[in-house]
Amino acid sequence: MTDLTPEQKYELITRDLQEVLNPQIIKDILQEERRTLKVYWGTAPTGKPHCGYFVPMVKLAHLLKAGVEVTVLIADLHAFLDNMKAPLEVVQYRAKYYEWVIKSILKSINVPIAKLKFVLGSSYELKPEYTMDLFKLSNIVSQNDAKRAGADVVKQVANPLLSGLIYPLMQVLDEEYLGVDVQLGGVDQRKIFVLAEENIQALGYKKRAHLMNRMVPGLMQGGKMSASDPNSKIDLLEEPKIVKKKISQAFCAPGNIEDNGLLAFVKNVVGPIYELKHGDNKFEFFIDRPEKYGGPITYTTYQDLEDAFKNEELSPVDLKSGVADAINGLLAPIIEEYKNTTEFQEAENKGYPPPVVEKKVKKVKNRGSKYPGSKDEKSESAPKAEKVDQVAEQLEKSNI
């Protein structure tokens, strides 16, 4: 937006973030250089995107509203390096699926995507100059530093692969090769951002600023919402009845607002999206409650909602009902686009094929040799019958 002041742009860019590293870099570009700020957000296409992806999408909306040039990196090689969660041919379809999902989410919350640029990691990460810089960086960063940097991002296993150490080094280089001023990510990527700030200048490249979104607790069990844990997330293509069923099983103790995934989702997703659609400082959360339990109720500030739950004026059942309805409202346009788009469906089907269920081979029960009709019994009885016939024949001859 050209009519925003540098201060207003900075407020939008940093709104609702948990932390900003090197904010002065952003301020200098907006106030002194007076040029368009360039930001990238990267995502590795591993597990299927879930409702937690609404959080970075809201921030991308803020950035676009502030006139920022936004690049979305679909980090396909990073996905391959993350303990080989999928072969490259499958990752290619997952990358397409992620692009469809991201565009669909942004369109569903009325964010114009014309100025959004999508880049596939393998389109430049396989070039000789990138590889050379990767070698140079690996000659500067210690094994321990690389391992620590990726600890909260790369899947940790008992016997880690070398790929887990390459992953954070590539994320450091991506800032330079995408030509940006700022990288956006979750606070779980803080160690990689610090690694970049400490080492990228040694390669002759400029230091960047880093924006960090807060992590939204899992809707069902608290803790981090994870694509690899089906019990902690709701898929973006989840059917309404499944959403209601999952939310009904969510942990939500009466009056407990600590680590409450449902309240956190309203605060970090439902509220900000309503504000994007209806204007700054606007909030509305509706619960369609039966008359016998007090009738429908609307909260016009998040604090009112939180206070009502804390004081046990709002029951867990009612909160769950409102959150389930809000999520289904957010997912409806995404599901509709998926059902009407063949390419979207193909990307999902080939990127996440159903697991092959091996047919159980029916084991032949060995009941031993003494059960009636067994082969052994039949074979044993044959000579006995023969002997009886012989004796009968001899007796008959002796009586003649």
Side-chain angles (χ1 to χ4, degrees):
M1 283 184 148
T2 54
D3 56 340
L4 294 178
T5 66
E7 291 75 22
Q8 289 172 323
K9 289 180 180 180
Y10 182 79
E11 189 281 324
L12 263 176
I13 291 165
T14 58
R15 181 182 295 177
D16 296 332
L17 293 175
Q18 181 160 326
E19 189 177 358
V20 180
L21 297 179
N22 289 320
Q24 195 59 46
I25 291 175
I26 300 172
K27 291 176 181 178
D28 288 345
I29 292 171
L30 296 175
Q31 297 171 356
E32 305 299 328
E33 299 180 35
R34 294 274 178 168
R35 66 172 175 84
T36 301
L37 187 74
K38 297 179 180 180
V39 178
Y40 105 81
W41 172 73
T43 180
T46 50
K48 292 180 78 171
H50 48 72
C51 283
Y53 274 70
F54 277 105
V55 176
M57 294 304 101
V58 168
K59 180 43 60 182
L60 292 187
H62 291 159
L63 295 174
L64 291 167
K65 190 176 179 181
V68 172
E69 182 182 301
V70 178
T71 297
V72 173
L73 171 65
I74 306 293
D76 54 341
L77 292 186
H78 287 77
F80 178 67
L81 289 172
D82 192 358
N83 278 291
M84 289 189 68
K85 288 181 178 176
L88 273 174
E89 55 270 22
V90 173
V91 169
Q92 290 171 357
Y93 283 104
R94 291 186 177 183
K96 293 177 182 176
Y97 179 69
Y98 267 59
E99 183 172 345
W100 274 108
V101 162
I102 291 165
K103 287 179 176 177
S104 186
I105 292 175
L106 290 172
K107 285 188 290 185
S108 74
I109 59 177
N110 298 336
V111 177
I113 61 172
K115 293 184 179 180
L116 199 63
K117 183 168 67 172
F118 284 83
V119 176
L120 200 62
S122 57
S123 67
Y124 65 88
E125 289 169 346
L126 297 175
K127 292 183 177 179
E129 54 269 29
Y130 187 96
T131 303
M132 195 65 227
D133 274 343
L134 189 59
F135 290 157
K136 289 177 182 177
L137 196 57
S138 65
N139 208 26
I140 299 169
V141 178
S142 71
Q143 174 186 332
N144 287 339
D145 286 346
K147 184 178 180 180
R148 185 169 62 249
D152 296 328
V153 179
V154 180
K155 184 176 175 64
Q156 300 300 299
V157 293
N159 187 24
L161 300 172
L162 183 61
S163 58
L165 303 180
I166 299 172
Y167 186 114
L169 301 187
M170 291 176 65
Q171 191 166 336
V172 170
L173 292 177
D174 289 337
E175 297 181 347
E176 173 65 25
Y177 280 81
L178 290 170
V180 298
D181 309 300
V182 184
Q183 182 178 174
L184 166 68
V187 74
D188 59 334
Q189 299 188 48
R190 190 182 195 281
K191 293 172 184 174
I192 294 180
F193 293 163
V194 171
L195 185 75
E197 295 197 359
E198 290 177 345
N199 294 281
I200 200 165
Q201 288 178 302
L203 299 180
Y205 301 138
K206 67 179 182 179
K207 187 183 290 189
R208 270 73 178 185
H210 295 94
L211 308 175
M212 282 171 275
N213 274 316
R214 62 188 77 252
M215 303 306 295
V216 177
L219 283 162
M220 266 56 75
Q221 300 170 335
K224 179 181 175 181
M225 197 182 298
S226 170
S228 60
D229 180 5
N231 294 320
S232 77
K233 58 149 185 151
I234 288 178
D235 190 281
L236 290 169
L237 299 178
E238 210 84 80
E239 291 296 329
K241 62 181 181 181
I242 303 298
V243 171
K244 286 183 177 290
K245 182 179 178 181
K246 283 190 172 184
I247 294 298
S248 71
Q249 297 170 346
F251 170 77
C252 187
N256 184 356
I257 62 172
E258 301 300 324
D259 203 29
N260 186 317
L262 302 181
L263 285 174
F265 190 81
V266 175
K267 182 178 181 179
N268 295 288
V269 175
V270 178
I273 287 177
Y274 187 88
E275 189 176 38
L276 281 169
K277 291 181 176 181
H278 300 91
D280 288 352
N281 302 315
K282 300 283 187 180
F283 179 92
E284 184 176 291
F285 184 69
F286 175 73
I287 298 174
D288 190 13
R289 194 166 54 181
E291 289 294 340
K292 64 180 179 178
Y293 296 119
I297 185 170
T298 300
Y299 294 94
T300 54
T301 71
Y302 172 76
Q303 196 58 53
D304 286 346
L305 171 66
E306 186 179 283
D307 290 344
F309 189 79
K310 183 179 180 180
N311 299 327
E312 297 191 34
E313 297 164 4
L314 178 68
S315 71
V317 172
D318 291 338
L319 177 61
K320 289 178 179 183
S321 174
V323 171
D325 288 342
I327 290 174
N328 282 329
L330 292 173
L331 299 187
I334 301 169
I335 294 171
E336 185 67 22
E337 182 170 12
Y338 172 81
K339 289 180 177 178
N340 294 327
T341 311
T342 306
E343 295 92 337
F344 199 168
Q345 294 171 23
E346 181 187 34
E348 193 258 349
N349 292 332
K350 293 185 177 179
Y352 301 94
V356 178
V357 180
E358 293 185 7
K359 289 185 177 180
K360 290 184 178 180
V361 179
K362 190 173 182 180
K363 290 181 72 175
V364 178
K365 292 182 179 179
N366 182 5
R367 294 180 287 180
S369 59
K370 299 301 180 183
Y371 71 93
S374 69
K375 290 181 179 178
D376 288 347
E377 187 177 279
K378 288 176 182 176
S379 60
E380 285 178 9
S381 63
K384 288 180 182 177
E386 253 180 62
K387 196 170 182 181
V388 169
D389 290 342
Q390 289 173 1
V391 171
E393 190 177 341
Q394 288 175 358
L395 288 171
E396 188 179 346
K397 286 180 180 178
S398 64
N399 290 329
I400 293 174

